[in-house]
Amino acid sequence: MELRLIEAVLPKEKKEDIQTLLSKENIVDFWREEIVEDKIIFQILVDAILSEKLIDKLSRKFSKDERFRIVSMDVKTTLPLPQQEISKTKHIRVSIPELYNAIVSSIEINYIFITMIVLSTIIAAFGLYKNSGAIIIGAMVIAPLLSPNIAVSFATVLGDLELEKKGIAAFLIGCFIALLLSVAIGCFLNIDVDNFAIKSKIAVNYPDLIIAFVSGVAGTLAFTTGQMMGLVGVMVAISLLPPLVNTGLLISNGYFLYATGSFLLFLANFASLNLAGVLTFLFQGVKPRKWWEEKKAKEHRIKAIILWMILIFILIFAIFAEKKFLAKKRLFQENKIYYFKK
């Protein structure tokens, strides 16, 4: 059983109220510590799955008092071990406040974010140039482009426009830096389009959409359940940075048609990832706490889902058109060579 330790800071006169509330909840244990002035701390040990419900109840009852505060912490171990059964609930995830704090901290545009984008772009560019899958995987692992997408999906479900803007801003800034830097690097590299690493990212296949969607589901589930190590595998599976860097390298070497195909792959992964994120957050029961906020958020996420689906359908059509065009071009070149030999 995964546990949370919730510290609730309350006014002393509310001591009886919180004891009554806790006596009705399915918690592992609780204790209190008297502190200075007019405050009291209650420490509550609870199943992580039930922590959000308890935090909501405490907030609704006591948040109007300015002395009220809640701190939630992971519990690595406790003795004696809890004897109660694992909670049976529809949604197994960490609380929305925990998700919010984790997401907000992951999309801060600071020197670390920018440095990681620069480093991952350089690694990806030389990995593509040297046709090295291992180097490309290394770039995908350290590239901080997954978190902004998860932030956008999370904000879409909650109808939080401010968080959505921050997520989009972080993603666009990261993409702009990666594309600009890859164009600059490409000016010093002689790119071979027959190189497998480059060639594999200049045409989108329908399985790419499925892989991106499934990776988006896996990434969102890992995020909502607090299994952050699971995100490493998702970062490898979801190909956001390599096709973008590939686009920049091809542009600087004058392969504009191939660069278009590579950029289509990037867009396909981006759209599929965000659609998967929104649907998975909904499946996990992430929603605003207040009914009037839920009404507004519902309208916003319906529009977002429709937008992502339209973009995916446009990309599917573009994929089909691109494949047809490249097939005709290849046939034309083969016929030209044949007649020239004759």
Side-chain angles (χ1 to χ4, degrees):
M1 180 193 298
E2 190 176 352
L3 298 173
R4 292 283 187 278
L5 180 64
I6 297 173
E7 287 191 348
V9 181
L10 301 161
K12 281 186 180 180
E13 61 268 21
K14 300 292 183 180
K15 180 171 67 174
E16 298 299 327
D17 292 341
I18 190 172
Q19 286 179 332
T20 302
L21 186 151
L22 293 176
S23 66
K24 299 175 182 178
E25 296 298 317
N26 184 20
I27 61 175
V28 177
D29 197 4
F30 79 91
W31 54 95
R32 69 175 184 266
E33 178 184 346
E34 301 284 344
I35 56 175
V36 294
E37 297 178 353
D38 56 348
K39 296 178 185 176
I40 186 171
I41 291 180
F42 272 82
Q43 294 180 317
I44 309 157
L45 194 62
V46 62
D47 186 341
I49 297 170
L50 300 176
S51 63
E52 181 177 19
K53 181 182 175 184
L54 180 60
I55 290 171
D56 284 345
K57 286 188 176 182
L58 290 170
S59 297
R60 283 197 299 269
K61 192 167 183 66
F62 303 110
S63 61
K64 291 182 180 178
D65 194 300
E66 62 181 12
R67 293 166 289 182
F68 170 75
R69 180 171 295 279
I70 281 181
V71 179
S72 177
M73 295 169 282
D74 291 335
V75 176
K76 299 300 181 184
T77 186
T78 180
L79 293 173
L81 296 174
Q83 297 300 313
Q84 66 186 68
E85 294 182 2
I86 296 174
S87 304
K88 295 179 181 178
T89 182
K90 183 179 177 182
H91 307 294
I92 301 174
R93 60 171 172 80
V94 299
S95 67
I96 290 179
E98 288 178 87
L99 283 174
Y100 189 91
N101 290 334
I103 287 172
V104 168
S105 62
S106 70
I107 59 170
E108 290 182 5
I109 304 171
N110 49 34
Y111 77 95
I112 296 294
F113 178 84
I114 293 171
T115 302
M116 293 301 281
I117 288 288
V118 170
L119 294 176
S120 59
T121 299
I122 294 170
I123 294 170
F126 283 98
L128 289 164
Y129 176 70
K130 293 184 68 177
N131 193 21
S132 173
I135 296 175
I136 295 170
I137 288 172
M140 293 160 78
V141 169
I142 68 171
L145 289 180
L146 181 62
S147 294
N149 283 276
I150 290 179
V152 171
S153 300
F154 182 72
T156 298
V157 171
L158 293 181
D160 189 332
L161 298 182
E162 285 302 312
L163 180 59
E164 191 173 45
K165 289 176 184 176
K166 288 180 181 178
I168 292 171
F171 183 70
L172 290 178
I173 289 171
C175 290
F176 178 77
I177 293 172
L179 186 60
L180 197 66
L181 182 57
S182 59
V183 169
I185 293 172
C187 293
F188 300 95
L189 300 176
N190 185 21
I191 299 301
D192 179 10
V193 289
D194 290 325
N195 176 329
F196 177 77
I198 290 173
K199 193 175 183 178
S200 64
K201 292 174 177 57
I202 59 178
V204 191
N205 296 308
Y206 299 117
D208 292 321
L209 296 171
I210 298 171
I211 292 169
F213 184 86
V214 173
S215 299
V217 171
T220 309
L221 279 176
F223 215 96
T224 57
T225 55
Q227 306 296 321
M228 302 306 289
M229 287 303 296
L231 288 176
V232 176
V234 176
M235 288 173 184
V236 173
I238 186 70
S239 185
L240 285 173
L241 185 73
L244 188 63
V245 173
N246 206 43
T247 302
L249 295 176
L250 291 167
I251 287 173
S252 56
N253 278 262
Y255 296 110
F256 300 111
L257 180 61
Y258 291 138
T260 302
S262 200
F263 191 68
L264 281 176
L265 175 59
F266 166 76
L267 288 179
N269 288 336
F270 167 68
S272 298
L273 174 63
N274 279 276
L275 177 61
V278 171
L279 295 177
T280 306
F281 275 125
L282 287 174
F283 175 78
Q284 284 289 78
V286 173
K287 61 181 181 179
R289 298 178 183 179
K290 299 172 183 176
W291 65 268
W292 61 87
E293 291 177 346
E294 167 60 15
K295 184 178 179 182
K296 179 183 174 183
K298 186 177 180 181
E299 294 175 358
H300 183 65
R301 62 178 172 254
I302 287 173
K303 291 177 182 177
I305 289 171
I306 292 171
L307 175 65
W308 294 129
M309 291 184 72
I310 289 172
L311 181 56
I312 288 171
F313 281 123
I314 291 172
L315 288 169
I316 289 173
F317 176 78
I319 291 166
F320 177 77
E322 184 204 22
K323 282 182 177 293
K324 205 168 182 181
F325 178 80
L326 288 174
K328 285 183 177 180
K329 184 179 179 182
R330 194 177 301 112
L331 183 63
F332 174 77
Q333 289 175 340
E334 287 174 356
N335 289 334
K336 188 177 179 182
I337 292 170
Y338 173 75
Y339 285 117
F340 176 76
K341 286 181 177 178
K342 285 183 69 178

